[in-house]
């Protein structure tokens, strides 16, 4: 019979190694996502949904409430993934220190829709959307 201390030491080693790894793997493949960055992006997404009303609700029927709830859950999930992958790239492109990574992930998670559109346009080489022409004199039309 093995000694209980060796089993306890083995379990402690496995638990410590599991808690120390901060990169997420799925099906044995490393996704390159850090847990702390995902949590910061998720928090930013919640702030955007709650305070900025990024996913507005509709009527008060149970079907519409269920649809809005599912949509908000998927927006929070997608914003977390966007923050997980784009926040390190944004900090690298802006040449900012690593200490700003979690704050950047929070900001990217909060504005994930706009950040993703900007990143796609930047990478694909498309120009920014054209501004409507200004009228002479700078006045608004009645």
């Amino acid at each position: 019979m093995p000694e209980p201390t060796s089993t306890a030491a083995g379990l402690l080693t496995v638990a410590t190694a599991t808690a120390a790894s901060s990169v997420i793997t799925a099906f044995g493949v490393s996704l390159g996502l850090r847990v702390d960055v995902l949590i910061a992006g998720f928090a930013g997404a919640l702030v955007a949904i709650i305070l900025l009303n990024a996913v507005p609700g509709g009527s008060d029927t149970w079907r519409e409430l269920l649809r809005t709830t599912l949509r908000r859950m998927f927006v929070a999930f997608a914003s977390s993934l966007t923050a997980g992958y784009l926040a390190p790239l944004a900090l690298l492109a802006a040449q900012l220190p690593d200490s700003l990574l979690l704050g950047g992930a929070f900001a990217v998670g909060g504005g994930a829709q706009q950040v993703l559109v900007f990143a796609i346009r930047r990478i694909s080489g498309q120009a920014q959307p054209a501004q409507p022409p200004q009228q002479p004199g700078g006045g608004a039309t009645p």
Side-chain angles (χ1 to χ4, degrees):
M1 180 168 153
E3 294 181 18
T5 57
S6 64
T7 306
L11 288 175
L12 181 64
T13 304
V14 170
T16 306
T18 304
S21 72
S22 62
V23 176
I24 296 177
T25 59
F27 307 108
V29 178
S30 176
L31 299 177
L33 293 170
R34 290 180 34 189
V35 176
D36 55 347
V37 176
L38 284 176
I39 291 173
F42 181 74
L46 288 181
V47 167
I49 290 170
I50 295 168
L51 293 179
L52 302 176
N53 202 19
V55 184
S59 62
D60 286 338
T61 63
W62 69 269
R63 183 175 282 166
E64 187 62 31
L65 289 174
L66 180 65
R67 173 187 251 162
T68 302
T69 301
L70 287 175
R71 187 165 179 238
R72 287 178 177 166
M73 288 171 45
F74 282 118
V75 165
F77 176 73
S79 296
S80 298
L81 285 179
T82 302
Y85 283 119
L86 288 185
L89 289 175
L91 289 180
L92 184 64
Q95 297 177 350
L96 296 173
D98 288 338
S99 60
L100 297 176
L101 178 62
L102 295 181
F106 182 87
V108 170
Q113 294 171 345
Q114 292 83 13
V115 170
L116 194 56
V117 168
F118 174 78
I120 290 171
R121 284 193 177 136
R122 177 89 182 218
I123 291 171
S124 68
Q126 290 181 356
Q128 295 297 326
Q131 297 292 329
Q134 297 272 337
Q135 291 189 4
T141 58

